Amino acid sequence: MRKSQIWRGLSAFTAMVLTLSIVGTGVVNDHRTDIDKFLGTSSTRVVTDEEVDTSEMYTYTSDYANTTELVTAMADIGERMSEEGSVLLKNNGALPLTADEIGKVSLLGFSSYFPNKGAILGPTAAENHGTDADTVDLVGALEARGFTLNDTLKNMYNSDGLKAIFKSEVATWTGTMEYLNLTAPAVGGVYTDKEPSVAQLDSADAGWRDSLNASNVLIITIGRAGSENADYTPGEAGVDPADGLNQADPLGLSDDERGLIAAAIESKKASGGKLVILLNNGNPMEIDELAENEDIDAILQVGTPGSYGFYGVADTLKGDFNPSGHLPDTYAVDNSISPAAMNYG
């Protein structure tokens, strides 16, 4: 009994000393400059070449002569990653687009204009504006590669009325942040559909459907975001019940997305055009109804392309690069049949 008491005492004393040393180290490091001034000491020392043997030292030499070369190389690797990583999930011969077709493109879906380049937290795509390698979105990349886009749609999706519909607010430790792109729900939260309905598009611009006749190469972007500390609760439990959009899973389609696709199909049939779906997603989606729809000509999964990857998307659409990517994850017809989904949480 006495030995046991001694060991308990020593353990408690050791734990106390360890705690004090950990806390004390942090305090001392935070006030190192003041302590050095008070004691007349120095915590650092500058060592010159004359004092040490530099023969075993390694000095890092950059591959780039200046920052212009650096950011240009960043843009190049971002573009190539997208080209080699995009996955052609379906194609009935619609892709690549011809030189004539890239001159009459209609971009539909708000993620076409405000896409997810990367995660909201963690590896957020840097916005390098005013540099030698400006960040690019889908619209900017397509126009840089010679595509002519439907101005009626561009103006409509950039109108204040539609922006108010798909603006997202996210609570973070620094406060509430606003985003003009999709955001993933917090763990345990629900996904809220942000795609404007066809009726809301009609209210924003009654002539948007007519504009598709001349620009009959229709590209719809469907997005799902990914982020640190965010996930999609499987099944209807993961969908905002206030939406009422017949969405069985947050990674499946909503009726607003189906309505936009149906309107595009109707226009395509009338004008003899094409319909291509881009998946701008950070998670595998339920897309069986898209794959089985014979009126959808092609599906290209582009993921979250980062700051420069949309150049690669544009190159792929026009046939300058052949997409060679393969899916790293299974795209289930029904996510609910996965044991992982059943055991979620």
Side-chain angles (χ1 to χ4, degrees):
M1 178 68 72
R2 181 167 183 156
K3 287 182 179 180
S4 176
Q5 290 174 337
I6 291 173
W7 279 112
R8 283 202 299 267
L10 286 173
S11 298
F13 177 76
T14 303
M16 181 179 67
V17 171
L18 179 61
T19 301
L20 288 174
S21 66
I22 293 173
V23 174
T25 299
V27 172
V28 169
N29 279 330
D30 288 342
H31 298 85
R32 179 188 303 178
T33 303
D34 294 329
I35 295 173
D36 281 339
K37 286 180 181 178
F38 180 76
L39 297 178
T41 57
S42 176
S43 301
T44 60
R45 184 166 70 94
V46 177
V47 179
T48 64
D49 291 349
E50 289 77 16
E51 299 177 75
V52 297
D53 179 11
T54 60
S55 62
E56 299 298 323
M57 295 178 64
Y58 171 75
T59 301
Y60 175 76
T61 302
S62 174
D63 292 332
Y64 311 103
N66 50 55
T67 54
T68 298
E69 289 187 7
L70 172 63
V71 295
T72 301
M74 285 171 53
D76 175 67
I77 196 170
E79 178 181 338
R80 288 189 287 115
M81 286 172 65
S82 180
E83 290 171 342
E84 297 179 24
S86 294
V87 186
L88 190 61
L89 300 177
K90 177 181 179 180
N91 189 23
N92 66 3
L95 294 178
L97 301 177
T98 66
D100 178 61
E101 288 170 338
I102 69 171
K104 47 184 182 180
V105 170
S106 286
L107 283 182
L108 292 158
F110 90 88
S111 290
S112 290
Y113 298 89
F114 302 97
N116 292 297
K117 296 176 184 174
I120 300 300
L121 295 174
T124 304
E127 299 291 337
N128 299 323
H129 296 302
T131 72
D132 293 297
D134 282 1
T135 306
V136 66
D137 57 15
L138 178 60
V139 170
L142 291 176
E143 291 180 336
R145 293 297 193 260
F147 287 70
T148 301
L149 304 182
N150 184 329
D151 283 330
T152 298
L153 296 182
K154 284 174 60 178
N155 294 333
M156 179 182 71
Y157 277 101
N158 280 281
S159 65
D160 292 337
L162 287 190
K163 284 182 179 179
I165 293 172
F166 52 69
K167 180 177 66 176
S168 296
E169 294 185 348
V170 177
T172 70
W173 63 275
T174 59
T176 301
M177 303 290 291
E178 290 188 351
Y179 297 94
L180 272 178
N181 52 262
L182 279 173
T183 58
V187 173
V190 293
Y191 171 77
T192 301
D193 180 76
K194 292 291 185 178
E195 189 65 55
S197 67
V198 171
Q200 288 169 323
L201 297 181
D202 291 339
S203 297
D205 189 333
W208 74 273
R209 296 176 194 250
D210 293 335
S211 73
L212 305 182
N213 295 328
S215 302
N216 65 350
V217 178
L218 312 179
I219 298 176
I220 298 178
T221 304
I222 296 175
R224 292 295 184 275
S227 180
E228 181 181 349
N229 195 37
D231 211 343
Y232 295 89
T233 300
E236 292 183 358
V239 180
D240 189 343
D243 283 351
L245 295 172
N246 191 33
Q247 193 169 6
D249 189 277
L251 295 172
L253 297 184
S254 71
D255 275 350
D256 284 343
E257 291 167 329
R258 294 186 185 98
L260 179 63
I261 292 169
I265 290 173
E266 181 181 354
S267 175
K268 167 203 157 178
K269 289 181 176 179
S271 65
K274 291 181 176 180
L275 175 55
V276 177
I277 304 290
L278 298 184
L279 298 180
N280 173 213
N281 55 326
N283 298 71
M285 296 184 64
E286 292 183 355
I287 59 166
D288 191 55
E289 60 186 290
L290 300 180
E292 296 297 324
N293 192 326
E294 295 181 356
D295 292 315
I296 295 175
D297 300 303
I299 304 173
L300 183 67
Q301 195 267 352
V302 303
T304 50
S307 300
Y308 309 103
F310 280 110
Y311 285 126
V313 175
D315 292 340
T316 300
L317 289 172
K318 66 185 295 191
D320 289 346
F321 194 91
N322 188 37
S324 56
H326 296 266
L327 293 177
D329 301 294
T330 298
Y331 275 44
V333 173
D334 180 359
N335 285 335
S336 68
I337 65 176
S338 166
M342 297 302 294
N343 295 322
Y344 176 86

